[in-house]
Every structure is written in structure tokens, then in C-alpha cells.
Amino acid sequence: MKPFSYGLLASVFLLILGAFSLFVGAYSISIMDIWRQPEVSNVMISSRIPRTLAVLIVGSILGIVGCLSQSAMNNVFAEPTTLGTPQGIALGLLLCSVLFPEIGLLGKMLLGAGMGLFSLLVFFALLQKLTLSDPLQLPLIGLVYSAILGAGVTFLAFEFDRMQMLTVWLNGDFATIIQGRYELLWGALIIGVMAYWMANQFSMLGMGEDLARTLGVPYRALVFIALAMIALATSLVVATVGMISFLGLVIPNIVRQYCGDNLKQSLPWCAWMGASSLLLCDVIGRLLTHPLEVPANLVFAVFAGTVFLVMLWRGDRRAL
Amino acid sequence: MIQIQNVGFKRADKTILEATQLSLEARQSIALIGPNGAGKSTLLSLMARLLPLQTGQILFDHLDISTTPSQVMAKKVGILEQHSHFMSRLTVQDLLLYARYPYHRGRPKSDDYDVVEKMLAYFELSKLRATFLDELSGGQRQMALVAMVFCQGTDYILLDEPLNNLDMYHARHLMTTLRRAIVDWNKTIVIVLHDINYASLYADHIVALKQGAILFQGAPSEVLTSDNVQALYGVEVDIIEHQGKRLSLHF
């Protein structure tokens, strides 16, 4: 099959899944009702459509962000969750709500992104000091790093009585998404498009600092741009719906089996696969305990954990 | 022409390379030989701007590496390191195209594709163009990496032990291809070699380093004497002549 027809097939699949998602929820809707009953079209416009769009954007941007992290850190296990980024962002958001409670959503987001970027830069600097003998050491170091950041954040949240906010930020859930509460995510999508536009440059980062530098690639500057994009996009996700853990780890690693490390080829597939798998998980979450819900983050964690274990089991260290 | 003036290197008070003077003519293959830890790779890394110059100057055709912008140097000098650590799930074709970065800056044009096409054919990699690097054999992978450096289109090419882990067939194939490429495209190649016989057969000029200093240099037919080799490696050898080339027997 030609790449074009793969793309067509993928788009059709996503469209069907998206349409299906519109009709799953606590309030049951049939296609006929939309035109007959005004309150039904209201549910559609204010809740179901925003929710579906939010899931699609978050899934695709986290797929892209994961892929970008792996090139920037030159390590296949890198993604925001294994780099402590959500904790860094949560720290920024928390400081914001304590110090500048009146600042508004955008300012909050920028401060979150700033702290996220800072935590990424510290991690990157740390990585330069160490020589990893196995790529698996990165998530181990990342785990310790996240735990330290996480402890600080938890302490602050506890002191200022904001534990609930912290839980919301670190556990992605789409149940609360309604019209007017997800629109910032379109910004994340713009970052995704920019990442694709710069895909060839970012692919060069995966060749490592020495090789990139001898080719005249402005390595440090590009890493900084990549990390800034990762921090900003992740911050938008954390502040609106909360983090979906390990999506950026599992999806890009499945995609790279087929598309390799050329981001021009792999990024669109990371976006597609991230979006469709997260939407699938969200729909399953809505159906499992209907009319109650299981958060998408939990369903995805089960899915991602299984895939990850299978990959490790197959001993595909190189490919992972 | 490569001019190395007064270049030394220290790491934590330990002298890796003593202040070195070296002048190398262009359009030839230059072999760097010497025992482990002699400073060969350090010298090569300094030339490639991978290590910062602590003292002295290095010039390629009067371009000073410490003052010339890195985009200009990227079109002058290419290097293949001994261990290239990178995410290696790239196809051979993509790898070669990435090496054209100094020209396309991330937006490849038809010229770049033409060069890649030419190099794929020259290095006999056309059939492997769509294969991922991590699925190639060691020999094929090394050939692809060498093709990548040639794609960069530089006048000077630095290779750090390219024959490591290659079997007899692939090592010979790589060296003959390199030899041919020097002639075909007027390249200057500086190559770190461990096998003194490869240096003798394929290099025009040999530079021998020991403990961070140049022990001797010159054409293989002049400098490869049993005394010199013994002084360099501390191993007794017999030097024999075979078809006008000197070979060392050291077993």
C-alpha cells in the first residue's frame, strides 16, 4: 500500500472513532434526537464535541512531545513523565496559585511552562555530566528526579491546602471538559505543527552533539527550542486536563519501529496514534462503569504499561 | 594543506598531547598510527573542533578552525568518530541526506538528493537505501557512515579507526574505496589506523605518535623500518618488502 492510502485509512478510522465518541456518555443520545431536541444539541456542543476535540489534541500533542523529547535527549526512554516535567510544571502552577492568584489562565500557564522548561534544562545539564552505559538508565535517573520534584510540590501543596489541584494536574481526566475550558489546547496543537515544520532540524538532534556540531547544526540552540516547546505544550495539557502518563513513551516507540527516527515521517504517525489510542481509552473509560467514568489517564496507564512490558519482554532494547 | 601549530592538550594536569607542530599536504591519505593512548584520537578531535583548542592553532587551507564560523568549517572538514552514538533508526538514504545539512539547513533541495544518489551508487549502497541503520551488518553500517561523511562534500575527511570490528573483506573493501575516492574527488583524508600494514599499503604519509608526541613521520617506504616500529610499539618486528610495499611481520 502507498503511504497515501495508509494516511487515508488512518484518517477514516479516527473519524469513525471520533463520531462514536460523540454518542457515548452519561446522557444517552441517538442521532435522531440531535435535530428534534434542543437540549440534546446543547449537550453535543457544550460537552461532547469539546471533550472529543480535547482528547484528540492531547493525544496527538503528547505523542509529538514524546517523540521530540527522545530526539532532544537522544534517548528512546525520554518523555515528559520520565523527565519530571509534569512535576516541574505543577510546581510552577502551584506557586502561581499561591503567589499570584489573580493572574489568569494564560499567565498561570506560562509560569508553569517556565518551571517545566527549567526542570528540563536542569535534567539536560545533569545528563551531560553522566555517560549512560544503557539507555534504560535515563528513566531511572528521571524517576529519582521526578520524585525529588514531586516531594517538593507535594509539600507545598500540603502546606497551602492545594492537594486536590495537584491530583487534578497529575491525573488526566476529560470528564470536566466543557466548552470554554479546553480552548487553550489549540495552542498546543500550534506547537505540534511548528514541531513538524522544524522536523528535519530536530531529527539532527538525534544524531548526538558531536555529529550535529561537525555538520554545523546549532545544537544547543535547537535543544533549547525543542525543550521549550515540550515544556509549553505539556504545560497546556497539565493545566487544562492533567497529565496522561507514558503516552509520549509508548506511542513514539511503537511508531519508530516502522517509521524510524526521521521525525518528518514519524511525527504525523505519533500524532495520529496518540490521538486514536487516547480517544479509545477515554471511550472505554466512559463505558466501563457507565454512567460513571474511569479517568482516561488510568485506562491509558493499563494499556501503556502492558505494551511497555511486552516490548521489554521481547528484549527489544535496541528498538525501544 | 593542514597546518597544526603548537597544539597541545591537557586533561586534569595530565598531558595527552604535547605541543605539536605538523604540516600536511593536501590531496593524499595520511595515516595516524601509534599505540593506545598516544593521543591520535585527541589530535583528530581537536582538528574536528570536537575538543576545544587549549593552545596553538589549526588551519585548513588558511581557515583557522577557532575563528571560522562553524557553518563554513562544516563544508571544509568532516569527521567520522570511532563511536557514533545516535538514535540509529534512520534509513541509509536519510543518513546521507542529513549529512548535507551544511548546504540545505534542514530543507533538502534537488542538488542534495543528487549528491546522495551519487554517493549511494559510489559506495554500493543503492540496494540498502531504505534499510534502517540498526538492521545493517557491521560492515554495511560502517560503509554507510563513511558514505555519509563523503556526502558532506568536504575537502578534508577525518576518520577515527574506521576499520574497528570489520572483517578482512570489509576492511579491505573500505580501504580500496577510500583510496579510489581520494583520487576521484581530490580529497585529503586523515585516518587513524591500528594495523600498520594497512597504513603501509594505503597511506601516502604516515605520522606516528607516542605518548602525545610525534615519534616519526614520512612516506611509508622511508619510515617503516623495524627500528622505528619497535620504538613505536615496543614490539620486535620483521619488515619485508612485497611488491614494492613494506609489510610488518609481528606475530
Side-chain angles (χ1 to χ4, degrees):
Chain A
M1 259 203 309
K2 281 184 185 148
F4 176 72
S5 41
Y6 279 122
L8 196 70
L9 206 67
S11 317
V12 169
F13 174 75
L14 201 54
L15 269 176
I16 294 172
L17 192 62
F20 182 64
S21 153
L22 295 177
F23 295 94
V24 179
Y27 189 98
S28 43
I29 293 175
S30 76
I31 301 179
M32 288 307 158
D33 293 341
I34 297 172
W35 288 275
R36 283 190 217 137
Q37 296 175 334
E39 69 266 35
V40 167
S41 58
N42 209 8
V43 168
M44 271 288 169
I45 291 167
S46 65
S47 162
R48 295 284 167 80
I49 293 176
R51 179 180 189 151
T52 304
L53 285 175
V55 175
L56 292 176
I57 296 174
V58 168
S60 54
I61 193 64
L62 287 180
I64 289 173
V65 155
C67 193
L68 202 56
S69 318
Q70 283 144 33
S71 285
M73 296 278 172
N74 198 2
N75 185 302
V76 293
F77 294 103
E79 77 116 357
T81 326
T82 57
L83 302 173
T85 321
Q87 282 79 5
I89 291 167
L91 185 61
L93 295 176
L94 193 66
L95 286 176
C96 206
S97 84
V98 173
L99 299 176
F100 320 103
E102 305 297 321
I103 201 168
L105 201 52
L106 194 68
K108 207 170 108 180
M109 273 265 328
L110 285 175
L111 198 70
M115 284 304 287
L117 178 58
F118 181 70
S119 72
L120 276 170
L121 288 173
V122 170
F123 194 91
F124 185 75
L126 187 69
L127 218 55
Q128 303 297 303
K129 299 263 172 223
L130 307 165
T131 316
L132 304 187
S133 57
D134 188 314
L136 254 179
Q137 287 167 344
L138 179 133
L140 294 181
I141 299 164
L143 213 65
V144 175
Y145 186 67
S146 321
I148 296 169
L149 279 173
V153 178
T154 310
F155 173 75
L156 279 176
F158 202 72
E159 283 292 295
F160 293 99
D161 203 18
R162 285 180 170 78
M163 282 303 283
Q164 208 174 356
M165 287 171 101
L166 190 62
T167 317
V168 170
W169 291 329
L170 296 182
N171 295 289
D173 184 5
F174 294 92
T176 56
I177 291 295
I178 49 166
Q179 198 181 14
R181 288 201 51 185
Y182 82 104
E183 282 74 4
L184 268 179
L185 283 175
W186 291 107
L189 201 65
I190 294 172
I191 295 171
V193 173
M194 276 169 62
Y196 179 69
W197 185 67
M198 293 180 71
N200 277 335
Q201 279 91 336
F202 288 142
S203 300
M204 304 293 298
L205 296 180
M207 306 186 85
E209 179 161 13
D210 282 355
L211 197 51
R213 271 176 46 202
T214 55
L215 289 172
V217 176
Y219 183 79
R220 292 285 162 107
L222 268 179
V223 167
F224 184 83
I225 295 172
L227 296 185
M229 288 167 101
I230 292 164
L232 198 56
T234 312
S235 159
L236 284 158
V237 171
V238 169
T240 47
V241 299
M243 192 60 194
I244 309 290
S245 304
F246 302 115
L247 193 152
L249 177 66
V250 173
I251 300 299
N253 273 302
I254 296 173
V255 170
R256 81 190 283 271
Q257 296 282 333
Y258 304 97
C259 299
D261 291 323
N262 179 348
L263 298 194
K264 202 97 208 173
Q265 258 143 47
S266 63
L267 279 184
W269 288 105
C270 288
W272 171 79
M273 203 170 178
S276 35
S277 58
L278 188 59
L279 189 55
L280 202 61
C281 287
D282 187 53
V283 168
I284 291 171
R286 275 181 265 167
L287 289 172
L288 271 181
T289 53
H290 191 88
L292 299 175
E293 288 196 19
V294 181
N297 187 38
L298 274 182
V299 184
F300 192 86
V302 173
F303 163 71
T306 314
V307 171
F308 194 58
L309 281 177
V310 168
M311 288 174 116
L312 283 180
W313 187 265
R314 277 169 42 196
D316 237 353
R317 182 69 53 87
R318 180 205 65 198
L320 242 172
Chain B
M1 176 148 150
I2 309 171
Q3 285 162 288
I4 296 169
Q5 292 158 359
N6 207 24
V7 169
F9 195 78
K10 279 186 186 166
R11 188 174 281 145
D13 285 340
K14 193 171 173 284
T15 304
I16 314 250
L17 194 66
E18 285 174 33
T20 304
Q21 318 286 341
L22 193 59
S23 190
L24 300 164
E25 289 299 320
R27 295 190 183 77
Q28 59 170 348
S29 64
I30 298 138
L32 288 182
I33 60 170
N36 295 327
K40 308 179 297 281
S41 295
T42 305
L43 183 59
L44 215 63
S45 297
L46 286 166
M47 290 163 80
R49 297 168 297 140
L50 292 175
L51 287 174
L53 273 186
Q54 293 174 342
T55 58
Q57 250 189 328
I58 298 178
L59 297 104
F60 288 88
D61 293 343
H62 308 295
L63 289 179
D64 187 330
I65 62 161
S66 38
T67 54
T68 311
S70 97
Q71 290 94 325
V72 178
M73 286 313 297
K75 294 180 188 174
K76 198 72 186 169
V77 185
I79 185 172
L80 181 61
E81 281 189 286
Q82 204 179 130
H83 307 284
S84 334
H85 293 287
F86 55 85
M87 315 231 318
S88 51
R89 227 171 145 69
L90 289 174
T91 62
V92 173
Q93 190 171 1
D94 283 344
L95 181 77
L96 266 57
L97 201 55
Y98 286 174
R100 297 291 299 165
Y101 185 89
Y103 306 88
H104 62 59
R105 319 241 105 221
R107 315 254 169 246
K109 298 171 200 65
S110 62
D111 300 4
D112 300 309
Y113 287 99
D114 290 347
V115 173
V116 168
E117 218 43 57
K118 203 170 82 184
M119 290 301 161
L120 282 173
Y122 196 89
F123 288 93
E124 295 166 29
L125 294 164
S126 298
K127 278 183 193 152
L128 299 171
R129 67 169 71 229
T131 314
F132 288 121
L133 277 187
D134 57 1
E135 288 164 6
L136 295 177
S137 72
Q140 292 168 332
R141 184 184 153 96
Q142 193 66 353
M143 198 53 117
L145 290 171
V146 170
M148 177 190 88
V149 186
F150 274 83
C151 257
Q152 203 180 331
T154 54
D155 297 334
Y156 295 90
I157 289 174
L158 315 175
L159 302 166
D160 197 354
E161 294 187 30
L163 302 185
N164 254 8
N165 300 322
L166 291 192
D167 62 27
M168 204 188 275
Y169 170 82
H170 286 100
R172 200 184 102 101
H173 182 53
L174 183 61
M175 288 311 286
T176 45
T177 311
L178 280 175
R179 187 75 248 182
R180 195 155 51 95
I182 295 170
V183 178
D184 287 354
W185 295 318
N186 293 322
K187 301 278 183 194
T188 310
I189 296 184
V190 182
I191 180 169
V192 174
L193 288 174
H194 263 305
D195 189 327
I196 198 163
N197 289 332
Y198 271 112
S200 169
L201 288 171
Y202 292 96
D204 301 308
H205 189 87
I206 287 179
V207 177
L209 286 170
K210 188 178 187 181
Q211 290 173 350
I214 295 172
L215 195 67
F216 58 82
Q217 61 164 316
S221 57
E222 292 161 13
V223 296
L224 286 187
T225 62
S226 56
D227 287 348
N228 268 345
V229 174
Q230 193 176 339
L232 185 64
Y233 291 104
V235 176
E236 276 191 43
V237 300
D238 283 332
I239 300 289
I240 59 160
E241 290 249 358
H242 176 70
Q243 297 178 349
K245 297 280 187 186
R246 294 197 175 192
L247 290 176
S248 142
L249 300 177
H250 44 264
F251 299 101

